[in-house]
Amino acid sequence: MKIVSACFVGIHCRYDQRHNALEEIRRLVREGKAIPVCPEQEGGLPTPRNPAEIVGGDGEDVLDGKARVIDNRGNDVTEQFLAGARKALAVAQAVGAKQAILKERSPSCGSCMIYDGTFSGGKKPGVGVTAALLRRHGIEVVSEETMKTESSGDTGEEGSSKG
Ligand code: SF4
């Protein structure tokens, strides 16, 4: 069993109320092989919401209390991101998930790259808050760009997402 970013399934849970639907991942859910989770909604944030970025580090640093998650209006949403990460972990543990496929570049879900905290579109190597927490609990985290596919179909989607 896997957990997957809910926006991959076509749920309009992104900050801008859009989604990042990918047929490969929708199929996993239809076949009962994956459960969709949106950590930012689970953490209590509304949709639509202000885009947020990690300032002063990445998700690992947020877990360690060394960085914060701030939205583009200057609101500190760190606690909501942490709460959402804990709920995503609880879901993963409840279903015995060994792997998560999460949206790259999101401050929650990114597994290799995230936005750089300047709200300028720049990116930096790093992980999102949920991705970091899942990894700390032994769950493999991959993205739509690094997941192994069962077919040769298109698995990636260009464009940005701040979750
Ligand atoms: Fe939710 Fe954003 Fe993660 Fe998609 S990338 S599941 S919208 S937190």
Side-chain angles (χ1 to χ4, degrees):
M1 185 62 78
K2 308 175 193 292
I3 63 167
V4 297
S5 292
C7 51
F8 284 149
V9 184
I11 297 170
H12 293 252
C13 53
R14 277 177 39 151
Y15 74 98
D16 56 4
Q17 217 165 359
R18 296 171 65 191
H19 62 73
N20 304 299
L22 292 175
E23 181 52 31
E24 184 80 13
I25 295 177
R26 291 170 67 115
R27 184 162 57 82
L28 290 174
V29 174
R30 279 200 305 275
E31 293 174 351
K33 297 175 180 172
I35 302 288
V37 178
C38 176
E40 292 175 26
Q41 287 195 336
E42 290 292 331
L45 292 169
T47 304
R49 55 188 172 275
N50 298 325
E53 298 190 4
I54 300 174
V55 177
D58 73 351
E60 294 282 352
D61 299 307
V62 174
L63 294 181
D64 291 336
K66 298 174 182 170
R68 308 295 292 178
V69 189
I70 308 294
D71 74 18
N72 67 343
R73 301 286 178 86
N75 301 303
D76 189 321
V77 289
T78 305
E79 293 309 315
Q80 290 94 326
F81 271 66
L82 287 169
R86 288 192 289 266
K87 289 191 178 180
L89 175 63
V91 171
Q93 291 177 330
V95 300
K98 299 284 188 283
Q99 186 188 64
I101 305 172
L102 302 183
K103 181 74 184 78
E104 195 61 279
R105 293 178 289 279
S106 156
S108 291
C109 293
S111 55
C112 292
M113 296 288 291
I114 55 173
Y115 286 91
D116 66 6
T118 64
F119 294 96
S120 61
K123 302 168 191 74
K124 62 184 178 185
V127 296
V129 180
T130 294
L133 187 66
L134 294 177
R135 280 186 176 155
R136 284 192 183 187
H137 288 78
I139 297 168
E140 180 189 19
V141 181
V142 300
S143 74
E144 74 279 21
E145 297 167 1
T146 59
M147 69 178 185
K148 291 187 178 65
T149 59
E150 294 172 10
S151 70
S152 58
D154 178 19
T155 60
E157 179 175 297
E158 291 301 316
S160 64
S161 169
K162 294 187 175 73

